[in-house]
Amino acid sequence: RDERAHPRPVEMGDAYWTLTQELLQGSSPLVHKPKLTETLLKKPPFRFLHDVVSEVQRNTGYALHLFDEEEKTSANIKDKAAKVQYLTKIIACVAIDSEVGSSPDVLARPLKIVAGLEPERTNAFLQALARCASRGDGESAARRVRNGETNETSAAASESEAASREKNKVAPPPSAPSTSFDPFAGGTDETRARAAATVS
């Protein structure tokens, strides 16, 4: 059984970062280095996250065409805006690929990551990355992100399409009038009486 595709439930005594270690650096590791230590996972710096994403891509072939050449080297990503852009891309790719929620923010928020906040969300993203990379190459999701799509816009498009289908749903045709002959329908009292006598 593939523990990355079907991870065990997190037990009450587990810390949120232990599942990240298990999925990315367990018996069949997707990441050989850097070492996923408790300290780094509790407050992951950008360089560490870049190294983890790059190692997953290198070892699994996941979303290989997501980033520009310059973005593939962490030394080139120095300012806050560039870091947020890099994180937004990979988080959106994983969010679309795993069909989680209506926005990449469901997994993690790039601005918070850069600020060193919300490590639980960051670990949730890393866990989702491990699952996605274990089951496919992510190229479809990567292509959609490069075309400017996020999971949020994808969800909005799906809702719009569903609403359009509902609006354009063809109403069932009206019931056809009955073709059975009612000898008592219409006519004068005299004609109805004659019809009754004929039937009886």
Side-chain angles (χ1 to χ4, degrees):
R1 181 186 179 190
D2 189 340
E3 291 296 330
R4 292 187 297 269
H6 304 284
R8 64 175 176 79
V10 180
E11 297 173 359
M12 290 300 292
D14 288 344
Y16 59 85
W17 47 268
T18 60
L19 182 57
T20 309
Q21 290 176 323
E22 180 181 326
L23 294 175
L24 286 172
Q25 221 157 48
S27 57
S28 300
L30 302 182
V31 175
H32 299 286
K33 60 179 183 178
K35 183 72 173 176
L36 305 184
T37 65
E38 176 182 350
T39 300
L40 286 170
L41 290 173
K42 281 186 171 180
K43 193 171 182 179
F46 175 80
R47 171 65 183 271
F48 167 74
L49 292 173
H50 190 286
D51 288 348
V52 170
V53 171
S54 299
E55 181 80 349
V56 169
Q57 290 185 303
R58 189 160 41 246
N59 291 329
T60 67
Y62 183 76
L64 285 179
H65 301 102
L66 176 63
F67 299 111
D68 300 331
E69 284 303 316
E70 187 172 335
E71 293 174 312
K72 294 179 181 180
T73 303
S74 60
N76 295 332
I77 307 176
K78 298 176 181 178
D79 60 37
K80 179 179 177 180
K83 292 176 181 179
V84 168
Q85 178 177 315
Y86 176 92
L87 292 170
T88 297
K89 280 186 176 181
I90 186 61
I91 293 170
C93 181
V94 171
I96 291 172
D97 200 17
S98 56
E99 299 180 348
V100 176
S102 60
S103 165
D105 285 354
V106 170
L107 292 175
R109 296 188 280 190
L111 282 169
K112 296 291 186 181
I113 294 176
V114 172
L117 303 174
E118 299 185 343
E120 295 90 347
R121 282 176 176 261
T122 306
N123 276 262
F125 151 66
L126 291 174
Q127 292 159 18
L129 171 64
R131 295 186 183 105
C132 288
S134 297
R135 70 165 185 253
D137 62 14
E139 278 307 303
S140 174
R143 184 168 56 253
R144 289 162 63 180
V145 172
R146 288 185 66 86
N147 288 336
E149 185 178 341
T150 67
N151 203 35
E152 185 175 27
T153 58
S154 175
S158 296
E159 289 176 7
S160 175
E161 183 180 346
S164 178
R165 283 198 305 267
E166 185 67 25
K167 182 178 179 181
N168 296 326
K169 189 181 291 182
V170 178
S175 300
S178 173
T179 56
S180 61
F181 173 67
D182 181 0
F184 301 100
T188 63
D189 291 343
E190 182 179 350
T191 56
R192 283 198 295 272
R194 278 203 302 270
T198 303
V199 172
S200 59

